[in-house]
Amino acid sequence: MKLIATPLAVLCAAVLSMPAYAAKPAKTPKAPKAPTFDTKRLSEEVKTLSSDDFQGRGPATEGETKTIDYLVAQFKAAGVQPGGDLKDGKRLWTQAVPLLRSQITGTPTLSYSIKKKARPLTQGNEIAVRAALDGSKNVSIKNAPLVFAGYGVSAPERQWDDFKGVDLKGKIAVVLINDPDFETGSGDFGGKAMTYYGRWTYKYEEAARRGALGLLIVHETDPASYGWATVKNSNTNTMFDVVRDNPGATHPTLEGWIQRDTAVALFKSAGLDFDKLKKQAQTRDFKPVTLKNISFSANYAVDSEVITSQNVVGRVEGSKRPDETVIYSAHWDHLGIGQPDAKGDTIYNGAVDNATGTAALIEMGRTFAKAKKPQRSVVFLAVTAEEKGLLGSEYYSAKPLYPLAKTVAVINTDALDPTGPARDFTTSGSAKQELLDELIATAQKWNVTYAPDPKPEAGHFFRSDHFPFAKRGVPAVSFGSGEDKVDGGVAAGKAEGEAYVKDRYHQPADQWEASWTFTGMARDLQILYTLGSDLANSTRWPNWAEDSEFRAARDESAGERAAK
């Protein structure tokens, strides 16, 4: 299903404060009574899921087959029941997720021309072009004009239009990442906090709606919230999308990113000042600018087909109200096998992102299965293709196995800290809702405080698997490990997080470490278990704040929850 860009101001995988190395074990305050989580088992599960044998857990690969088999075996051993698709009146362990898989065949030929003199661009260096998702089997673009379209935003409710009626047919639009007010810190788009207009997914969608032949996003580390390595590794491998009736309405033929230095050079060759135009683009008066005497060419074959990936679904049925559901979610996938790093390693193991969250799901299932049966049902949803645009959770929320109207809440775990405990926790985004209030109150029982998303400008709220549920009105939160480490404080936590994003995030170096203690993660899971258990044994229906953009969608289904 298409992610609609609306005044909601609404994915691969959110990164908050992840460790690059292990913190020393430390004593934690005495906590309330709650089931304990086995740190050795958590470590072993993360080690297994992120081992080279699982080949980076890429969807529709041998790595997926091994991952699905492993998860089903673990859920069975944990005492969880299958909760997936119905077949002959019985639940399977999986939910089939049809996806369009697309990859570039061979090395793409890419270049730009200055007054008809061609200059080559190297895939992965100056540019990162994605395999076409509009259905094209071959992309052949010759000397297409380039048009700078500011931030690529059309927001009528904000009286904002970066396109001003420009005809983009047959042309390549060049746009900036994030929102127009990211650098100024104040304005019509939430200041530093990113709106959905700042997400690259929206920018491609808007380009398609405008009839553009293609869209190139200028990469800059701060507004993107990640470096070029992440862009390269996430966009030059196999692409996936949900199966669409008209894919060209959502995807232009060419989708890609270019390095800032490359963009500056292009603008200069056209007699334009990149920084000056960027400042103009931060105002309503900005008008699109054609890069005179500059054109873009591309030629590459695309191998695409519809494949079926799998969400894995476990369930503990409720004793009194089994039709009401609390969901714990995490994505099992990572990037698979891709470009080699400096050491020649091609396997993107995804230990922190997101073998940690997947291991948490297994152990949460084990704990609920061993406890007294909850009054409401609890579902453990391991989704596919998060790294390809939240596709597994998008599919489930569009075609839910259990009605969204009677889904109490979604508690998502993505990239948890496998080292020592922190005095705080955070979430992907800080949307106002009663579920977050309940999480904050629960954490306080462990003397753990809430730290709002430290980087709202990174748009984490739109980058994790709770979001497809949230936009349909289901109360949903994505939990993030804290930054104020018991050993080392905020300075240590911040340094670890920054090092992780720089050196490991979406890179082969995201590997299991024997030094990881998992003590912090085990404590955090106690908090999340208590939150879910309390909801599963209550009659409460948490909602969004009155002024939340998601409140209306939830309220529309109130009658179904009231029905007996």
Side-chain angles (χ1 to χ4, degrees):
M1 177 175 282
K2 179 179 177 182
L3 296 181
I4 303 296
T6 70
L8 285 178
V10 273
L11 140 80
C12 126
V15 175
L16 300 173
S17 298
M18 306 316 151
Y21 52 85
K24 296 179 181 179
K27 294 182 179 180
T28 55
K30 187 176 181 180
K33 185 177 180 180
T36 58
F37 288 82
D38 190 326
T39 56
K40 291 183 179 179
R41 192 150 51 206
L42 287 169
S43 180
E44 187 59 35
E45 288 160 357
V46 171
K47 181 180 180 181
T48 300
L49 285 164
S50 61
S51 66
D52 283 357
D53 285 345
F54 282 65
Q55 300 179 10
R57 305 189 306 279
T61 66
E62 184 181 342
E64 165 164 356
T65 302
K66 289 188 174 184
T67 302
I68 301 305
D69 290 346
Y70 178 78
L71 290 178
V72 170
Q74 292 298 308
F75 277 138
K76 283 182 178 178
V80 175
Q81 298 302 307
D85 288 331
L86 276 170
K87 183 178 181 181
D88 299 327
K90 294 184 178 180
R91 291 286 181 183
L92 303 177
W93 280 104
T94 56
Q95 179 188 32
V97 181
L99 297 173
L100 174 68
R101 178 177 64 184
S102 184
Q103 55 190 3
I104 293 174
T105 302
T107 302
T109 301
L110 307 162
S111 65
Y112 67 91
S113 296
I114 303 173
K115 295 181 179 180
K116 298 183 179 181
K117 184 177 181 181
R119 299 188 181 185
L121 294 167
T122 303
Q123 172 80 319
N125 289 348
E126 300 100 332
I127 192 169
V129 170
R130 297 154 57 89
L133 292 171
D134 70 334
S136 296
K137 293 291 186 179
N138 186 75
V139 175
S140 182
I141 298 172
K142 188 173 182 180
N143 297 325
L146 293 172
V147 178
F148 177 57
Y151 285 84
V153 171
S154 175
E157 79 287 351
R158 289 170 165 84
Q159 294 82 50
W160 195 282
D161 181 15
D162 283 332
F163 298 96
K164 303 291 195 302
V166 67
D167 183 3
L168 290 176
K169 292 179 180 178
K171 300 174 183 177
I172 308 295
V174 180
V175 303
L176 304 165
I177 192 60
N178 213 304
D179 290 323
D181 54 9
F182 166 77
E183 290 189 353
T184 62
S186 63
D188 297 291
F189 293 85
K192 280 289 186 181
M194 184 191 288
T195 70
Y196 189 60
Y197 294 115
R199 285 290 288 149
W200 54 266
T201 48
Y202 163 77
K203 296 176 191 292
Y204 289 137
E205 291 166 3
E206 188 60 36
R209 285 189 284 270
R210 297 276 167 171
L213 178 59
L215 179 81
L216 293 173
I217 300 172
V218 179
H219 173 261
E220 295 185 271
T221 297
D222 286 345
S225 82
Y226 38 73
W228 180 255
T230 298
V231 172
K232 178 186 72 174
N233 296 335
S234 301
N235 292 277
T236 59
N237 56 3
T238 304
M239 295 288 104
F240 290 85
D241 194 16
V242 294
V243 176
R244 304 176 190 272
D245 293 335
N246 182 15
T250 303
H251 297 281
T253 298
L254 181 129
E255 298 177 328
W257 297 68
I258 57 173
Q259 288 263 33
R260 182 187 187 279
D261 289 348
T262 302
V264 170
L266 278 171
F267 280 55
K268 186 176 181 180
S269 296
L272 301 170
D273 185 315
F274 176 84
D275 291 323
K276 184 177 179 180
L277 279 177
K278 184 178 180 182
K279 286 190 179 298
Q280 290 178 16
Q282 294 165 0
T283 69
R284 275 192 179 84
D285 296 331
F286 168 81
K287 294 181 180 179
V289 178
T290 298
L291 276 65
K292 294 181 179 179
N293 300 317
I294 307 291
S295 62
F296 180 86
S297 298
N299 190 47
Y300 48 91
V302 179
D303 179 18
S304 62
E305 62 177 332
V306 175
I307 58 90
T308 301
S309 187
Q310 305 289 337
N311 290 335
V312 181
V313 191
R315 185 171 182 254
V316 172
E317 187 173 67
S319 60
K320 292 186 177 181
R321 296 178 298 282
D323 60 330
E324 299 174 4
T325 304
V326 175
I327 294 179
Y328 287 92
S329 64
H331 72 91
W332 60 256
D333 68 301
H334 198 54
L335 300 181
I337 297 174
Q339 297 274 342
D341 64 6
K343 297 179 180 179
D345 190 354
T346 61
I347 297 178
Y348 290 69
N349 305 84
V352 169
D353 182 18
N354 186 33
T356 56
T358 307
L361 208 60
I362 295 169
E363 293 308 306
M364 200 67 73
R366 188 189 312 278
T367 305
F368 270 97
K370 288 182 177 181
K372 182 181 178 181
K373 207 169 187 181
Q375 295 175 20
R376 289 165 157 167
S377 297
V378 181
V379 163
F380 310 96
L381 176 63
V383 295
T384 183
E386 185 270 355
E387 301 290 5
K388 304 302 180 182
L390 315 181
L391 301 182
S393 53
E394 174 68 19
Y395 186 83
Y396 179 96
S397 57
K399 298 180 182 296
L401 297 170
Y402 307 97
L404 295 188
K406 291 194 175 182
T407 297
V408 181
V410 174
I411 303 168
N412 188 61
T413 51
D414 192 349
L416 301 176
D417 184 343
T419 66
R423 299 182 184 90
D424 59 355
F425 76 94
T426 189
T427 55
S428 297
S430 306
K432 297 177 182 178
Q433 56 173 320
E434 293 166 355
L435 178 61
L436 178 56
D437 295 339
E438 293 198 29
L439 173 56
I440 292 170
T442 302
Q444 286 175 346
K445 298 175 182 178
W446 277 263
N447 294 320
V448 175
T449 60
Y450 175 57
D453 186 343
K455 287 190 174 182
E457 68 272 20
H460 289 135
F461 190 84
F462 318 115
R463 292 167 56 184
S464 211
D465 286 303
H466 68 301
F467 176 59
F469 293 94
K471 71 178 184 177
R472 290 173 173 87
V474 180
V477 65
S478 189
F479 180 90
S481 304
E483 192 173 68
D484 184 7
K485 303 302 289 284
V486 171
D487 280 332
V490 174
K494 186 174 182 179
E496 291 171 359
E498 290 176 350
Y500 175 80
V501 172
K502 179 177 179 290
D503 299 326
R504 296 192 177 201
Y505 176 53
H506 281 199
Q507 299 175 61
D510 187 3
Q511 298 178 335
W512 175 85
E513 299 287 344
S515 58
W516 288 346
T517 64
F518 287 87
T519 53
M521 183 171 160
R523 191 280 314 281
D524 290 345
L525 294 187
Q526 289 183 303
I527 296 171
L528 296 180
Y529 171 85
T530 302
L531 173 67
S533 179
D534 287 349
L535 288 170
N537 289 292
S538 77
T539 58
R540 297 194 305 280
W541 295 100
N543 205 339
W544 300 91
E546 289 285 353
D547 60 350
S548 169
E549 61 266 46
F550 309 118
R551 177 70 180 239
R554 187 60 166 177
D555 287 349
E556 284 179 8
S557 63
E560 296 178 59
R561 290 186 290 282
K564 300 294 183 183

